[in-house]
Amino acid sequence: MTIQLEDTSKWPVAIEKPFIIAGPCSAESEDQMLKIGHALKSHQNLLFRAGIWKPRTRPNSFEGIGSVGLKWLSSVKKETGLSTTTEVANAYHVEEALKHNVDVLWIGARTTVNPFAVQEIANALKGIDIPIMIKNPINPEVNLWVGAIERFADAGLTKLAAIHRGFFAYNNTKYRNIPQWQLAIELRRRIPGITMICDPSHIAGKRDLIYEVSQKAIDMNYDGLMIETHINPEKALSDNAQQVTPEQLNIILEKLVIRKSKIEDPVFKSSLDQLRIQIDDLDNELVDVLKRRMKVAEKIGVHKKENQVTILQSNRWEELLNTRIQHGVNSGLSEEFMSRVLKAIHQESINRQTRVMNEE
Ligand code: PEP
Ligand code: MN
């Protein structure tokens, strides 16, 4: 289907790059909301966010303050003049948010995965002219993301944006959620002209990493950033490791290099950047896989030690080398390259196992 997209100048906040969405992960009290709102109100192009209903992975943690928080959101709007946004996850949330004149709605990552929930929200919004921002699903499935955007487009909404917040990482990685930038690139290819917002807070998971993720997003020509901002991040009732103070937000924004299109051939530059970002992602994946492989090799070392067998088992190594080289050659990699890579990896495994063997 073709998705009709309305010019972002029609949004309640003019989208001038970079368009900033800031505010707490969760609304906690009227005082907290007003303090943050006042600290942020001098920014141009700023949309104030606060989660009212919090979809938490496990029960018995803070699940949001509920509808009373919408009153606080409207006090922020009244006192500071900032436009507001909150997350909705069902038709009741939509009804409540609209009643309290929230300007923009967003769909959380745990909702985008569920087409029934997305459809329920889209139906509740039929005929209502409100911007809606759709976060990527938790799992790296672009079709779910595209599908959710299509459901809103089908319901007649035209002010649509995508928020890239990264994807669930099964293993420990540098970031809380793996960015997989190439999936956001693919979304843009599938829905040309969609407003793209990056959520470096949920990608990074740690406030110290927010700047580097933000810069990368800006370099990839994103339209905006959603950065969780709290007056007292350490005491926040949710996501306390990743929230920044309004002052830290200013530092991040001042440090951001917004590159002008002074390059001789911007089309070439942008395609080169996108490819390099894919290379960065793949290299990070390679390092993660190698790390996991070495951990397994160490476990094997422990077993060998307990059973008093030698580190090098020639038959196994021979078989491993042959099968992997064959796999590589079948995938278009040269035999010589495969052999060099495998020998280097094998040597490192042997070094690790030797260390394990000789430990007291
Ligand atoms: C949030 O923005 O606070 C949130 C819950 O995000 P996500 O849906 O990306 O996990
Ligand atoms: Mn959060």
Side-chain angles (χ1 to χ4, degrees), residues 261-297:
S261 45
K262 278 257 166 61
I263 322 121
E264 274 165 26
D265 185 350
V267 177
F268 165 71
K269 168 82 173 82
S270 125
S271 60
L272 185 66
D273 282 350
Q274 298 198 353
L275 290 170
R276 283 182 173 156
I277 279 156
Q278 289 184 46
I279 292 281
D280 292 351
D281 276 340
L282 290 168
D283 286 350
N284 283 336
E285 275 178 45
L286 267 178
V287 172
D288 284 334
V289 169
L290 286 170
K291 184 177 98 186
R292 281 159 50 207
R293 193 190 192 283
M294 292 307 157
K295 288 255 175 297
V296 176

Side-chain angles (χ1 to χ4, degrees), residues 93-165:
H93 296 166
V94 169
E95 193 189 316
E96 286 289 286
L98 294 177
K99 219 168 27 188
H100 290 85
N101 299 314
V102 178
D103 299 290
V104 176
L105 304 177
W106 90 76
I107 304 298
R110 290 164 192 76
T111 304
T112 308
V113 290
N114 181 347
F116 286 139
V118 173
Q119 194 58 55
E120 176 185 317
I121 299 165
N123 292 344
L125 285 168
K126 239 178 214 148
I128 294 163
D129 182 32
I130 189 167
I132 183 137
M133 311 185 290
I134 298 104
K135 287 202 174 196
N136 67 255
I138 297 268
N139 55 323
E141 162 62 295
V142 176
N143 281 326
L144 272 174
W145 202 2
V146 173
I149 295 170
E150 285 173 338
R151 287 177 199 277
F152 290 107
D154 269 347
L157 285 98
T158 53
K159 300 181 176 93
L160 303 171
I163 303 181
H164 174 209
R165 52 79 78 202

Side-chain angles (χ1 to χ4, degrees), residues 24-26 49 54 135 176 202 228 238-239 242-243:
C25 177
S26 304
R49 66 153 278 157
K54 300 303 297 177
K135 287 202 174 196
R176 174 181 176 190
H202 288 87
E228 288 186 335
S238 57
D239 289 349
Q242 71 193 30
Q243 301 203 57

Side-chain angles (χ1 to χ4, degrees), residues 333-348:
L333 301 166
S334 81
E335 184 172 342
E336 188 265 341
F337 170 69
M338 283 306 298
S339 166
R340 263 194 296 143
V341 170
L342 288 163
K343 284 176 182 158
I345 294 173
H346 188 237
Q347 185 58 56
E348 176 70 6

Side-chain angles (χ1 to χ4, degrees), residues 195-208:
T195 297
M196 279 299 294
I197 294 160
C198 181
D199 173 348
S201 306
H202 288 87
I203 289 179
K206 293 181 209 78
R207 55 189 141 265
D208 291 350

Side-chain angles (χ1 to χ4, degrees), residues 223-358:
D223 300 287
L225 300 169
M226 179 188 251
I227 301 181
E228 288 186 335
T229 311
H230 195 286
I231 210 76
N232 191 353
E234 261 114 61
K235 293 269 163 62
L237 297 182
S238 57
D239 289 349
N240 62 342
Q242 71 193 30
Q243 301 203 57
V244 294
T245 61
E247 295 72 34
Q248 288 166 332
L249 176 72
N250 290 343
I251 294 170
I252 291 171
L253 297 181
E254 275 158 26
K255 237 168 82 181
L256 279 183
V257 183
I258 316 280
R259 291 178 223 282
K260 300 271 181 297
S261 45
K262 278 257 166 61
I263 322 121
E264 274 165 26
D265 185 350
V267 177
F268 165 71
K269 168 82 173 82
S270 125
S271 60
L272 185 66
D273 282 350
Q274 298 198 353
L275 290 170
R276 283 182 173 156
I277 279 156
Q278 289 184 46
I279 292 281
D280 292 351
D281 276 340
L282 290 168
D283 286 350
N284 283 336
E285 275 178 45
L286 267 178
V287 172
D288 284 334
V289 169
L290 286 170
K291 184 177 98 186
R292 281 159 50 207
R293 193 190 192 283
M294 292 307 157
K295 288 255 175 297
V296 176
E298 281 175 4
K299 281 192 193 153
I300 292 178
V302 172
H303 276 297
K304 286 177 179 166
K305 184 178 180 177
E306 284 166 354
N307 293 284
Q308 305 275 0
V309 298
T310 56
I311 289 176
L312 185 64
Q313 299 286 308
S314 304
N315 293 348
R316 165 70 181 158
W317 167 231
E318 190 66 22
E319 182 229 9
L320 188 153
L321 194 61
N322 289 337
T323 54
R324 299 329 184 246
I325 288 180
Q326 198 50 54
H327 185 182
V329 168
N330 292 345
S331 310
L333 301 166
S334 81
E335 184 172 342
E336 188 265 341
F337 170 69
M338 283 306 298
S339 166
R340 263 194 296 143
V341 170
L342 288 163
K343 284 176 182 158
I345 294 173
H346 188 237
Q347 185 58 56
E348 176 70 6
S349 293
I350 289 178
N351 295 349
R352 298 233 175 180
Q353 293 192 358
T354 309
R355 229 177 290 144
V356 170
M357 284 272 185
N358 294 317

